[in-house]
Amino acid sequence: MSHRFWAHVALAVVGVAVVVWALLTWFNPTIECRGVRMGPGDVCHNAEGTKVQTYDDRLDALRLSTPVMVGTGVVVAGFGAALAVADRRRTA
């Protein structure tokens, strides 16, 4: 098998890893403000002090971005798998 085949397989594995990471984040979210873990009722001020986000705001943003991350991971995994299959058929 060629190096190109394994590169395509690696791309598919990366896509699967993104899906797994996104789903783990969905079911067990860790909300932070500049590296400090937040809990319900906490607020986060940006560095300039001009914007404030609550824990719930950040959790909502995470929940909204998770489907995008899962979709992207699925597309990348599928693309890598399709390239690997095509490469395998081409060399067989």
Side-chain angles (χ1 to χ4, degrees), residues 3-91:
H3 290 20
R4 189 172 49 203
F5 170 80
W6 291 112
H8 299 324
V9 170
L11 181 63
V13 169
V14 168
V16 170
V18 169
V19 170
V20 169
W21 176 77
L23 291 175
L24 288 174
T25 303
W26 173 271
F27 290 111
N28 189 21
T30 301
I31 308 300
E32 295 183 350
C33 177
R34 291 190 303 279
V36 177
R37 192 174 193 143
M38 294 178 70
D42 290 345
V43 295
C44 181
H45 299 271
N46 68 351
E48 295 82 28
T50 57
K51 185 177 178 185
V52 177
Q53 285 184 309
T54 65
Y55 171 85
D56 291 329
D57 292 338
R58 288 181 165 244
L59 183 60
D60 289 343
L62 175 70
R63 298 268 190 228
L64 288 173
S65 66
T66 299
V68 174
M69 292 186 293
V70 169
T72 301
V74 167
V75 168
V76 169
F79 183 63
L83 289 175
V85 168
D87 189 53
R88 176 80 176 198
R89 285 182 180 165
R90 192 172 25 252
T91 58

